[in-house]
Amino acid sequence: MRKPELSLVQLAVLEAVARHGGIGTAAQAIGLSQPSVSNHVSQIEGRLRTRLFDRQGNRFVANARLAVLLPKIQALLALSDEVDAHLRGHEELTGGFLRIGYSTHQFVMGVLGRFIARHPAVRIEARSAGSYELLASLRRGDIEAAFITLGTPEPGLDALEMRREEVVLMARRGSDLARRGSIGWEEIGALTLIRREEGSGTRRAFDAMVTRLGVAPARGLDLGSWESMREAVAQGLGLGIAMRGEIEPDDTRVAAVRIGPPQLELGHYLVALPELRQTAQVSALYALAAEPAA
């Protein structure tokens, strides 16, 4: 693309000198020194090899060549001011747009609620997906930040650990296993499991653990959402894999069953690429995520 020969500063100088009729008043109007404004005018005319102003003593009057262009220059400068105001609105959180992803709604809605209450002018687009799918979206630039579950943060990300959670089985409330309350890893092989999609951080960590321990669970269902997994468990189709914090203690349909020893723990993180971490919206999101839960 051809680089513009005149900068916005130079166009602002031309417009100010034409509007105020002199170097000194134009310099005051746009916050530059008189020598700077004078040098800009001389450089522009020298580059174009033509005069743009008729000199009448200390007065500078736009000639026909410049006068016909002044409305276009003024429109361009007004558009520049509008863009600048819009971007400053983003920086000051008086507007803007923030795209985020989350893998576990139970852990993120409180943070989003506080963000919306404090920064109501910022529009949020939030999508739910598995942690590893969200990581791919983050690296592609589809989202600016993500709330995800991992064993440890991946390199190249700015990660804030929000909480650590024990991985448990989700059992139908009132079942024999729910009444027992715990199970050993060696017993997993006899169970029919209901798992989240392959991109789930909880599923990947669980699969890695049973592989390391040499356990092969019976084939079950792979479902695309936590709510569908909960419903399948409640219907007696198998046992789900979840984090303890995802299962409410007073849930009337499902209950948490501990696994181990050893216990498997995962972190729930807010992550962003370092180059986006310091943007106003993402920085504000991190600040709220770091606050203690009410």
Side-chain angles (χ1 to χ4, degrees), residues 93-108:
L93 295 182
T94 57
F97 186 64
L98 178 61
R99 300 170 301 172
I100 67 165
Y102 62 92
S103 64
T104 308
H105 67 273
Q106 294 92 332
F107 301 159
V108 70

Side-chain angles (χ1 to χ4, degrees), residues 26-64:
Q28 292 179 351
I30 59 179
L32 295 178
S33 67
Q34 290 190 37
S36 178
V37 170
S38 181
N39 286 337
H40 275 304
V41 172
S42 297
Q43 289 170 3
I44 295 167
E45 290 183 332
R47 178 185 298 173
L48 298 177
R49 298 182 181 180
T50 187
R51 287 292 185 96
L52 298 177
F53 295 95
D54 294 330
R55 276 70 167 175
Q56 300 174 0
N58 290 330
R59 284 186 57 77
F60 282 62
V61 179
N63 62 24

Side-chain angles (χ1 to χ4, degrees), residues 27-217:
Q28 292 179 351
I30 59 179
L32 295 178
S33 67
Q34 290 190 37
S36 178
V37 170
S38 181
N39 286 337
H40 275 304
V41 172
S42 297
Q43 289 170 3
I44 295 167
E45 290 183 332
R47 178 185 298 173
L48 298 177
R49 298 182 181 180
T50 187
R51 287 292 185 96
L52 298 177
F53 295 95
D54 294 330
R55 276 70 167 175
Q56 300 174 0
N58 290 330
R59 284 186 57 77
F60 282 62
V61 179
N63 62 24
R65 182 166 186 176
L66 176 59
V68 72
L69 294 175
L70 282 175
K72 295 182 183 295
I73 293 173
Q74 291 164 347
L76 183 59
L77 293 173
L79 180 61
S80 173
D81 289 341
E82 180 181 341
V83 169
D84 183 69
H86 182 68
L87 293 176
R88 289 180 182 277
H90 283 207
E91 181 179 348
E92 297 164 6
L93 295 182
T94 57
F97 186 64
L98 178 61
R99 300 170 301 172
I100 67 165
Y102 62 92
S103 64
T104 308
H105 67 273
Q106 294 92 332
F107 301 159
V108 70
M109 292 306 166
V111 176
L112 292 185
R114 295 198 300 274
F115 187 96
I116 292 169
R118 294 192 194 180
H119 310 294
V122 177
R123 180 183 162 205
I124 292 181
E125 178 184 291
R127 58 180 290 243
S128 176
S131 294
Y132 286 90
E133 182 182 344
L134 293 174
L135 278 174
S137 295
L138 190 72
R139 296 190 189 282
R140 286 196 307 268
D142 298 336
I143 54 177
E144 285 81 53
F147 296 87
I148 59 176
T149 299
L150 298 170
T152 56
E154 291 201 347
L157 297 176
D158 194 311
L160 170 67
E161 185 177 289
M162 298 172 59
R163 60 198 294 163
R164 291 202 70 79
E165 289 287 338
E166 177 187 1
V167 176
V168 298
L169 291 181
M170 182 193 300
R172 182 170 58 176
R173 177 74 69 175
S175 65
D176 292 342
L177 190 53
R179 286 192 291 268
R180 267 180 62 185
S182 64
I183 190 173
W185 287 102
E186 69 279 0
E187 300 177 77
I188 296 292
L191 303 177
T192 299
L193 297 182
I194 302 170
R195 307 180 300 179
R196 288 282 305 275
E197 71 279 10
E198 190 175 351
S200 164
T202 305
R203 169 179 169 168
R204 287 201 185 186
F206 182 91
D207 288 352
M209 175 65 87
V210 296
T211 298
R212 180 167 69 86
L213 297 176
V215 178

